[in-house]
């Protein structure tokens, strides 16, 4: 996650500026409209998408599916937006003073704080689909390329609405519904991930590691809420222990899924370590 933020905030921004400068010098591109609607979406989304692909290559054991892809893509986009916004705010203040800075802040800080995150999350989602199917790096590269195309088109639509069309009209009639749809997709993916977590923890319950009641508590939002409320009433407020128990059980479910697929040769060792930790955490939680 730290790599994702750093890639977006430092590497992707730096590489984008390098390419933009080279294109300006070599092709003498002076059209602000072309830069905003064509050049910026292509160059920026390519470099941001590369960051997500590098995470797939270098941290494959921490890339389990679409939800991970969306998280990594959104963090890369958020890091990029952080640095880019500083640049835009600085230029606006220098060129137009407080009035232009206010307008820039409203457009970028209030109306579109999640734009870059949403664009690159599309690339992450595409790579995450391959990760869930345990595909190869070549398959992830192909899926990532498709995701980048989607991110470029959405990015170009966003910039085009601000450049050629009624920005506020398109914002409320198109961009807001797109963002709502994006959130609903994330909710659906989270529910699917919760279903998978519960299925894997039920495997352990069948082997005697958890009770059926613990599976419900650990794998469902309602169960976790009840568990945390119960832990708060124990001596010394044991909610930190309950949070650790939930986190370790969730990691255990993910490791179990990797072990079933056979794509992670270290899954067995991780599973053994997590089982020991969850047992110790449960004992501390219940100790009197």
């Amino acid at each position: 996650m730290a790599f994702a933020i750093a890639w977006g905030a430092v590497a992707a921004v730096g590489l984008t500026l390098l390419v933009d400068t080279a294109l300006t010098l070599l092709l003498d591109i002076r059209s602000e409209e072309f830069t905003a609607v064509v050049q910026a979406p292509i160059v920026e989304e390519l470099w941001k998408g590369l960051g997500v692909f590098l995470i797939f290559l270098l941290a494959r054991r921490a890339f389990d599916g679409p939800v991970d892809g969306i998280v990594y893509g959104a963090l890369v986009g958020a890091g990029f937006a952080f640095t880019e916004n500083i640049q835009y705010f600085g230029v606006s203040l220098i060129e137009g003073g407080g009035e232009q800075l206010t307008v820039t802040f409203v457009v970028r800080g209030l109306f579109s704080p999640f734009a870059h995150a949403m664009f690159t999350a599309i690339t992450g989602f595409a790579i995450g689909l391959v990760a869930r199917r345990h595909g190869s790096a070549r398959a992830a590269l192909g899926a990532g390329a498709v995701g980048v195309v989607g991110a470029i088109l959405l990015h170009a639509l966003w910039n085009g609405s601000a450049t050629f069309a009624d920005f506020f009209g398109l914002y409320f009639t198109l961009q807001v519904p797109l963002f709502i749809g994006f959130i609903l997709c994330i909710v659906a993916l989270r529910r699917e991930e919760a279903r998978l977590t519960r299925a894997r923890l039920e495997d352990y319950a069948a082997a005697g590691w958890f009770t059926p009641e613990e599976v419900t508590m650990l794998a469902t939002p309602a169960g976790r809420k009840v568990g945390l409320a119960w832990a708060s009433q124990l001596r010394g407020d044991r909610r930190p222990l309950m949070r650790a128990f939930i986190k370790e059980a969730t990691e255990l479910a993910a490791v179990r899924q990797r072990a079933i697929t056979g794509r992670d040769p270290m899954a067995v060792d991780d599973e053994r370590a997590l089982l020991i930790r969850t047992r110790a955490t449960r004992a501390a939680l219940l100790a009197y």
Side-chain angles (χ1 to χ4, degrees):
M1 292 173 67
F3 175 85
I5 296 172
W7 180 270
V10 181
V13 171
L15 291 167
T16 295
L17 289 174
L18 183 65
V19 172
D20 286 345
T21 301
L23 289 175
T24 300
L25 294 176
L26 295 175
L27 304 179
D28 193 28
I29 298 175
R30 303 295 179 182
S31 171
E32 293 185 1
E33 291 79 7
F34 178 86
T35 299
V37 180
V38 179
Q39 180 177 320
I42 293 175
V43 176
E44 292 175 9
E45 296 308 325
L46 281 173
W47 289 125
K48 288 190 293 176
L50 177 61
V52 183
F53 181 65
L54 287 176
I55 293 174
F56 178 89
L57 292 180
L58 303 176
R60 185 67 184 85
R61 298 176 67 229
F63 209 136
D64 292 313
V67 173
D68 286 344
I70 289 173
V71 170
Y72 296 138
L75 288 175
V76 170
F80 189 95
F82 174 81
T83 302
E84 187 181 55
N85 283 345
I86 292 175
Q87 176 191 1
Y88 273 94
F89 294 156
V91 171
S92 296
L93 181 62
I94 293 172
E95 294 182 351
E99 182 177 350
Q100 186 170 328
L101 174 61
T102 300
V103 173
T104 303
F105 174 77
V106 170
V107 172
R108 299 189 66 86
L110 299 181
F111 279 87
S112 59
F114 304 111
H116 274 293
M118 185 169 65
F119 302 152
T120 315
I122 296 174
T123 304
F125 171 76
I127 296 176
L129 290 176
V130 174
R132 185 168 66 180
R133 296 195 303 267
H134 324 298
S136 64
R138 178 177 296 181
L141 182 61
V146 174
V148 165
V149 170
I152 289 171
L153 293 176
L154 194 59
H155 195 157
L157 177 63
W158 176 268
N159 287 1
S161 67
T163 304
F164 296 113
D166 177 8
F167 173 76
F168 293 103
L170 281 177
Y171 180 84
F172 289 106
T173 60
L174 182 61
Q175 303 292 359
V176 169
L178 279 173
F179 183 71
I180 293 174
F182 179 73
I183 296 299
L184 292 176
C185 287
I186 292 177
V187 170
L189 287 169
R190 288 285 294 167
R191 287 181 176 176
E192 172 63 17
E193 189 176 69
R195 184 199 65 77
L196 188 62
T197 297
R198 180 164 190 158
R200 296 289 74 84
L201 290 181
E202 286 175 348
D203 294 344
Y204 290 107
W209 287 96
F210 298 106
T211 66
E213 292 76 16
E214 283 178 327
V215 171
T216 299
M217 180 188 71
L218 293 167
T220 65
R224 292 172 179 177
K225 184 177 180 181
V226 171
L228 287 168
W230 171 75
S232 69
Q233 300 172 6
L234 299 177
R235 184 178 59 188
D237 187 358
R238 299 182 184 179
R239 280 179 293 182
L241 282 171
M242 178 59 76
R243 293 190 185 97
F245 191 39
I246 292 170
K247 181 175 182 293
E248 290 163 3
T250 304
E251 292 176 357
L252 184 62
V255 168
R256 172 69 178 168
Q257 182 65 22
R258 293 202 298 270
I260 289 174
T261 61
R263 68 173 177 82
D264 184 359
M266 299 178 66
V268 174
D269 293 333
D270 288 347
E271 181 183 44
R272 184 181 299 110
L274 282 167
L275 285 171
I276 293 172
R277 281 165 51 189
T278 53
R279 175 171 285 183
T281 303
R282 182 205 278 124
L285 189 62
L286 299 176
Y288 284 96

